[in-house]
Amino acid sequence: MRKTKALALAALGTTLSMGLAACGGTAGGGGNNTGSGNQGTGASGTAFNDAYTKLVNASDAKGGTLKFALTDEPDSTDPGNTYYAWNWNFSRLYARPLMTYQPAPGEEGLKLVPDLAEGPGQASEDGKTWTYKLKKGIKYDDGTEVKAADVKYAIARSNFTSELTDGPKYFAQYLDAEGYKGPYKDKNLDDFKGVETPDDYTVVFKLKAPFSEFDFLVANPQSAPVPQAKDTGLDYEKNVASTGPYKFESYEVGKQLTLVKNENWDPSTDTTRKQLPDRIEVQYKQNADDIDQRLLNGQIHVDLGGTGVQPAARAKIVGNPQLKNSSDNPYTPFNRYAMMSTKVKPFDNIECRKAVQYATDKVATQAPWGGPLGGDIGTTAMTPTTVGYKPFDLYPNGQDHKGDLAKAKESLTACGQPNGFETNIAVRGDRVKEVQVAEALQASLDRVGIKATIKKYPSGDWSSQYAGKPDFVHKNNLGIMIAGWGSDWPSGFGFLSQIVDGRFIKDSGNYNMMELDDPTVNELLDKGIQTTDTAARNEIWTQVDKKVMESAAFMSFVYEKTLLFRPSNLTNVYVHPAYGMYDYTWLGVKQQ
């Protein structure tokens, strides 16, 4: 049975205060699934939400083809140039970072364990130097050994080049790199002072200031090694050097990706992944409802995006006990929200932003996610599953959450737009739920004279070319952007920093779509990440949340839950709490 949110938070707080001690155990429990593979319906011995708390359909059987489908395409398959949560999960099939998460459901899955590294980082007394020792004998798919210089190069290319724009830039922000311009401009890696490699198996990170959660940072895919000689820039995504259990066989950008077993992967060095299927096939640019139907029929095994089924399939599943017993309704790390650009008129006026907050019918914007099944109505930036969260509501929109139109009109008058105004709502056009949210928001705002036009853009280039490109946002009057965010790691900093820190506003690949650059917010983030006391640090994250919400540029719709479907021919299924979706590195397929 799932723990209550209060208990989950308490457990997670304990996990973080424990630091990075490696804990034993793996995803456990669950009986065998004996249902018919082609039916895709409820397997005997499984129940609704089972995979949220235990391993379902456990099996070590090898062989077969694991099939994924996605409505669009990834920002990049390059581990150093991606920022979608599902891709951080999926890329672990072929890319191993220094640290990773325990393979287990529940709070155990939020604990860090070594991956490429022998153990957690060793911090210096001043907290500004972190040292990792690599396991010896880890090889790429071509048989060459992973060396410390490859990790250094991976950090250099992902964070210090202007070409790779889609991933986060934490390392560029916090490493003491002395103005380094990246390996595409300066090929002498010795000039990169932010990371040192005194020998082939030692990686030393040199920081500008203490960073109390650095082990979480190196669990992101950007610390997966890249041999400098094999880096082909933006084309590297077409044939990534694999350290995981699978390697690239073929990749047609925007169409399909096929992975096959990496014969040079050594499971003795990797306790967090399995290598069960012979092949893994991914189809991109697939219709969302078609994906659901194929899942229900057992023709594919996983919706790669991990955002849950669409309304039509949800109705079928909830209304059929057998189908429902093959589904899971987990909380995810995600908040689904809108950001208002503080640089697009009239949203440069806070009162115009407040008018949107008050006018929005939160019940209507919750509905596309599945009503209460899709998540709780949100009022803060951080979610209840984020350490540091405290509930508050600065813009109450009526007891029924359907909008306070009187307060909205007061704010419109205060911002000099008593009759309303025109704006555009940007949305990822292939995300059916997000489009429906935009339509619900459009109808809400129309009630007070705010005329909003919906603009649809592809999710594959969403951050690099559209909503994450400030010049495009300004030129196209994108006042409101529908978005979602999950924690980079399970703390307030891991959730907030990339979307609220003004120093992370980028020309492309920008996730602070509010373009909020509040010195108080920036200073609190710095203070928090340098604070070693867990309780004090968590209180600072609450302060950041309140400051962000005071800007009225961030409007939460739901603290997300999803409805995931697991066909009966899918084995080793559990929800990994670090990603809020199934652990893609454990899955297998039942042979027919």
Side-chain angles (χ1 to χ4, degrees):
M1 185 174 181
R2 183 181 61 80
K3 292 181 182 292
T4 65
K5 282 190 265 186
L7 286 174
L9 276 169
L12 182 51
T14 302
T15 296
L16 290 174
S17 66
M18 286 172 59
L20 305 159
C23 298
T26 57
N32 287 333
N33 181 335
T34 58
S36 169
N38 289 329
Q39 295 297 314
T41 54
S44 62
T46 67
F48 175 64
N49 233 11
D50 263 4
Y52 192 48
T53 57
K54 63 183 181 181
L55 187 68
V56 170
N57 201 9
S59 173
D60 286 327
K62 296 184 178 182
T65 299
L66 177 63
K67 296 181 180 181
F68 291 86
L70 185 69
T71 56
D72 200 74
E73 62 181 314
D75 44 5
S76 175
T77 56
D78 182 341
N81 196 32
T82 180
Y83 214 169
Y84 280 128
W86 66 262
N87 213 12
W88 280 28
N89 183 7
F90 183 79
S91 68
R92 296 180 304 132
L93 287 162
Y94 54 85
R96 295 176 61 181
L98 288 171
M99 300 289 290
T100 192
Y101 292 93
Q102 178 96 338
E107 59 261 28
E108 283 296 307
L110 296 174
K111 296 177 181 177
L112 287 173
V113 293
D115 199 347
L116 284 184
E118 290 182 342
Q122 299 301 305
S124 60
E125 188 173 344
D126 65 2
K128 294 168 66 175
T129 300
W130 286 73
T131 301
Y132 296 84
K133 293 285 188 179
L134 299 185
K135 297 171 184 173
K136 294 181 181 179
I138 295 177
K139 297 178 180 179
Y140 294 105
D141 56 285
D142 67 358
T144 59
E145 189 178 11
V146 173
K147 298 294 177 66
D150 302 339
V151 176
K152 177 176 180 175
Y153 183 74
I155 301 298
R157 68 185 292 275
S158 65
N159 276 256
F160 294 90
T161 59
S162 57
E163 289 82 0
L164 304 183
T165 61
D166 287 333
K169 301 293 182 182
Y170 286 113
F171 292 105
Q173 177 79 7
Y174 294 105
L175 291 180
D176 189 4
E178 300 178 4
Y180 178 63
K181 300 300 182 183
Y184 299 161
K185 292 185 172 66
D186 182 356
K187 294 187 178 181
N188 183 4
L189 203 56
D190 290 339
D191 291 338
F192 179 29
K193 307 298 184 184
V195 181
E196 296 176 352
T197 53
D199 59 57
D200 282 346
Y201 302 101
T202 305
V203 184
V204 182
F205 293 88
K206 312 292 286 189
L207 309 183
K208 299 173 187 175
F211 192 99
S212 60
E213 298 177 358
F214 199 77
D215 272 326
F216 282 101
L217 178 53
V218 298
N220 95 41
Q222 291 183 338
S223 73
V226 178
Q228 186 169 6
K230 293 196 172 183
D231 183 16
T232 53
L234 290 174
D235 283 338
Y236 181 69
E237 70 162 341
K238 296 177 182 177
N239 192 18
V240 176
S242 173
T243 49
Y246 291 88
K247 64 181 180 180
F248 282 41
E249 180 185 72
S250 64
Y251 181 34
E252 294 180 75
V253 176
K255 293 183 179 180
Q256 65 83 29
L257 170 67
T258 300
L259 305 178
V260 293
K261 287 184 175 181
N262 174 9
E263 61 273 13
N264 284 301
W265 174 72
D266 183 355
S268 71
T269 70
D270 188 350
T271 61
T272 66
R273 299 167 178 82
K274 292 184 178 292
Q275 191 189 54
L276 299 180
D278 292 330
R279 298 168 62 82
I280 297 173
E281 295 178 353
V282 185
Q283 293 178 312
Y284 299 125
K285 301 281 189 179
Q286 303 295 298
N287 176 270
D289 289 310
D290 184 56
I291 289 175
D292 291 346
Q293 190 57 52
R294 290 156 68 196
L295 275 174
L296 293 174
N297 292 339
Q299 296 169 324
I300 60 172
H301 304 103
V302 187
D303 178 356
L304 184 54
T307 56
V309 298
Q310 307 307 316
R314 185 170 60 234
K316 289 181 182 178
I317 292 168
V318 173
N320 182 320
Q322 190 176 21
L323 291 176
K324 187 174 181 180
N325 283 339
S326 287
S327 68
D328 302 289
N329 186 214
Y331 282 95
T332 79
F334 277 82
N335 192 340
R336 300 294 174 179
Y337 56 81
M339 282 186 171
M340 288 169 266
S341 173
T342 59
K343 304 300 182 185
V344 172
K345 291 184 179 299
F347 292 123
D348 54 346
N349 185 314
I350 189 173
E351 292 296 336
C352 286
R353 303 196 294 267
K354 287 182 179 180
V356 171
Q357 297 273 1
Y358 288 121
T360 299
D361 181 341
K362 291 287 188 75
V363 176
T365 55
Q366 181 195 39
W369 302 105
L373 195 69
D376 302 334
I377 289 175
T379 59
T380 59
M382 288 199 297
T383 68
T385 55
T386 306
V387 172
Y389 165 83
K390 288 185 180 178
F392 60 90
D393 185 0
L394 299 184
Y395 311 103
N397 61 345
Q399 290 185 348
D400 58 2
H401 296 292
K402 293 186 177 181
D404 187 332
L405 303 189
K407 288 287 290 183
K409 290 176 180 178
E410 286 179 16
S411 293
L412 284 172
T413 299
C415 80
Q417 303 282 347
N419 298 317
F421 53 84
E422 294 184 1
T423 191
N424 292 320
I425 301 174
V427 66
R428 290 176 280 200
D430 61 288
R431 303 287 180 92
V432 176
K433 296 173 187 175
E434 293 185 2
V435 172
Q436 292 172 340
V437 167
E439 292 168 348
L441 178 58
Q442 180 186 50
S444 290
L445 300 182
D446 186 64
R447 299 181 299 175
V448 294
I450 300 174
K451 305 298 181 182
T453 300
I454 297 172
K455 302 288 186 178
K456 299 178 184 179
Y457 303 104
S459 62
D461 296 322
W462 173 251
S463 67
S464 61
Q465 298 298 324
Y466 304 109
K469 192 169 186 175
D471 280 351
F472 184 90
V473 169
H474 304 161
K475 289 176 183 176
N476 291 274
N477 192 35
L478 302 183
I480 304 173
M481 285 146 283
I482 307 298
W485 194 256
S487 182
D488 286 353
W489 59 85
S491 81
F493 186 89
F495 187 91
L496 291 166
S497 63
Q498 293 291 305
I499 60 173
V500 306
D501 191 328
R503 296 161 297 185
F504 285 152
I505 298 171
K506 299 182 290 186
D507 293 337
S508 178
N510 175 45
Y511 290 90
N512 181 347
M513 296 170 186
M514 301 173 289
E515 296 182 72
L516 180 69
D517 190 6
D518 184 332
T520 302
V521 168
N522 301 345
E523 290 165 8
L524 282 170
L525 288 167
D526 288 345
K527 179 181 178 182
I529 202 59
Q530 295 177 38
T531 300
T532 57
D533 180 79
T534 301
R537 188 166 67 244
N538 292 339
E539 179 57 37
I540 292 171
W541 306 146
T542 302
Q543 294 176 39
V544 175
D545 196 352
K546 287 184 177 178
K547 288 297 297 182
V548 169
M549 294 308 297
E550 285 171 3
S551 76
F554 188 106
M555 182 170 66
S556 174
F557 295 129
V558 294
Y559 306 133
E560 185 189 64
K561 295 171 71 176
T562 56
L563 187 64
L564 303 175
F565 185 80
R566 39 181 158 84
S568 59
N569 53 2
L570 185 65
T571 65
N572 287 327
V573 190
Y574 77 94
V575 175
H576 199 301
Y579 305 100
M581 59 192 77
Y582 298 139
D583 183 346
Y584 295 158
T585 69
W586 267 55
L587 298 176
V589 291
K590 183 179 295 184
Q591 300 300 294
Q592 302 304 313

